[in-house]
Amino acid sequence: MDDATSTLSGIELFRGLSDSELATLAKLCRWHRYASADQIIGNQDETTDVFFIASGRVCATIYAASGKEVSFRDLGAGKSIGELSAVDGAPRSANVIALTDTVLASMPAEIFRNVLRDHPDVSARMMAYLVDLVRKLSDRVVEYSVLTVRNRIHAELLRLAREQIVDGNTATLSPAPKHADIAGRVATHREAVTRELNVLVGEGCMERRPGALVISDVSRLERLVKAGFDE
């Protein structure tokens, strides 16, 4: 239980809770291990547990009627998934797949809602998370309306870079995002992503390493995205 308490202290929603509060929450969780490519949540499932990512990385996706996979976002250790269904009781809005070996803690929806009621700081972080989600979805709508395919690829790479930034101008994306996943997020095809990544590598903006993609000039990506909006 001490290990579980320590692990929950790394979950962003629970930041600032005391050890005794974390220990109480840990007793209310179940723990799960998933291998890479395992499905954690299925789109339209009627389950409502919230999952807290102790280690590993997951991806949220849906499939169109045509079978095309549309990828939304990756989430790593410290993040949580499944909050929407826990709050409103509606079916899951996406599939969640493990990108790496992943350890999760799950909490029943009713208990999660009680945590939000009993811990105002957790509730405030939850509201901030939902606001951030709405802002990011709004940004994507604008990008689809304004940016070219090239610039949408730049914008997606910039989003990923900001999530895994090493210092002020370098980010290591590990594991390296699949070209098909990036294509699904920006409504294009894999070949367009491959072509643009090759251009960025050739210009020295990024480099490929075993299992990782290193963006060595995040500020250049920012300028490319801004130029896209200015066109």
Side-chain angles (χ1 to χ4, degrees), residues 62-70:
I62 62 170
Y63 289 90
S66 63
K68 180 180 179 181
E69 182 180 15
V70 180

Side-chain angles (χ1 to χ4, degrees), residues 26-225:
K27 294 175 183 177
L28 302 174
C29 292
R30 297 185 298 272
W31 294 85
H32 313 267
R33 293 182 180 274
Y34 294 90
S36 177
D38 283 352
Q39 180 171 286
I40 300 166
I41 292 174
N43 186 31
Q44 297 303 305
D45 282 356
E46 296 186 355
T47 59
T48 56
D49 283 7
V50 179
F51 292 86
F52 307 106
I53 306 173
S55 64
R57 197 160 184 83
V58 306
C59 179
T61 68
I62 62 170
Y63 289 90
S66 63
K68 180 180 179 181
E69 182 180 15
V70 180
S71 177
F72 287 104
R73 57 191 175 129
D74 296 354
L75 296 167
K79 301 294 186 179
S80 51
I81 53 177
E83 306 94 340
L84 299 185
S85 292
V87 170
D88 66 7
R92 302 294 193 181
S93 58
N95 304 295
V96 177
I97 308 296
L99 294 175
T100 65
D101 291 346
T102 301
V103 177
L104 303 171
S106 67
M107 178 182 288
E110 182 177 1
I111 293 175
F112 180 67
R113 291 194 296 269
N114 289 341
V115 171
L116 295 179
R117 181 196 64 202
D118 297 338
H119 296 278
D121 287 349
V122 176
S123 182
R125 289 192 187 93
M126 182 65 191
M127 287 189 289
Y129 161 77
L130 293 175
V131 168
D132 181 63
L133 184 61
V134 171
R135 290 183 186 278
K136 288 178 178 177
L137 291 174
S138 298
D139 288 344
R140 285 182 181 272
V141 171
V142 174
E143 288 170 9
Y144 287 143
S145 301
V146 175
L147 297 182
T148 65
V149 168
R150 237 184 121 233
N151 290 131
R152 293 203 302 272
I153 294 171
H154 299 156
E156 183 59 32
L157 290 171
L158 182 58
R159 254 189 299 273
L160 294 173
R162 286 171 171 166
E163 292 174 1
Q164 302 187 55
I165 201 153
V166 176
D167 59 36
N169 201 38
T170 304
T172 299
L173 310 185
S174 180
K178 296 179 181 178
H179 295 191
D181 290 342
I182 296 175
R185 295 181 191 189
V186 301
T188 188
H189 49 83
R190 180 178 58 81
E191 292 77 10
V193 174
T194 300
R195 183 166 55 248
E196 188 55 33
L197 291 187
N198 287 339
V199 170
L200 293 172
V201 169
E203 293 177 347
C205 184
M206 63 177 58
E207 61 179 290
R208 296 184 178 93
R209 295 180 185 173
L213 185 65
V214 178
I215 299 176
S216 51
D217 194 348
V218 175
S219 61
R220 173 165 170 73
L221 273 183
E222 292 173 342
R223 292 194 298 272
L224 288 171
V225 174

